[in-house]
Amino acid sequence: METDDNLILLMRIEPRRNMARFYSLSIEPTFFGGFVVHRSWGRLGTWGQSRLEYCAEFSAAQARKEQLTGRKLKRGYTRK
């Protein structure tokens, strides 16, 4: 189950470069007791792509989510 405080939505819009991208991150529990960091990215208006990264503990998943968020913020994405 996903909560609003768990979901991070980042966007990068640069009309001059014809760039309109999104990047979303969330942590979701698995049926087997672990957690996954679910990340999705692509051009705004499309379904984009997604990837799941499995973590045994919530703290490891939270740390990975923060690491990925920091990378995107450095590349010019902003929180929405």
Side-chain angles (χ1 to χ4, degrees):
M1 183 165 39
E2 206 171 282
T3 60
D4 289 338
D5 58 341
N6 187 28
L7 178 67
I8 294 178
L9 180 60
L10 305 172
M11 290 188 190
R12 184 174 177 188
I13 300 172
E14 295 182 26
R16 192 182 66 166
R17 295 177 61 191
N18 193 25
M19 181 186 296
R21 298 180 182 170
F22 73 91
Y23 195 86
S24 68
L25 291 156
S26 65
I27 298 174
E28 302 169 5
T30 66
F31 289 118
F32 306 108
F35 296 90
V36 293
V37 178
H38 182 205
R39 40 185 190 155
S40 301
W41 67 91
R43 187 166 174 83
L44 286 173
T46 67
W47 287 101
Q49 300 178 37
S50 66
R51 176 174 289 171
L52 300 175
E53 290 185 34
Y54 295 92
C55 299
E57 298 179 7
F58 183 78
S59 59
Q62 185 70 26
R64 180 66 176 148
K65 185 175 92 167
E66 290 174 10
Q67 178 188 30
L68 292 167
T69 301
R71 280 187 194 171
K72 290 299 175 182
L73 291 173
K74 285 181 183 177
R75 296 200 69 175
Y77 284 76
T78 58
R79 290 180 184 251
K80 294 294 173 191

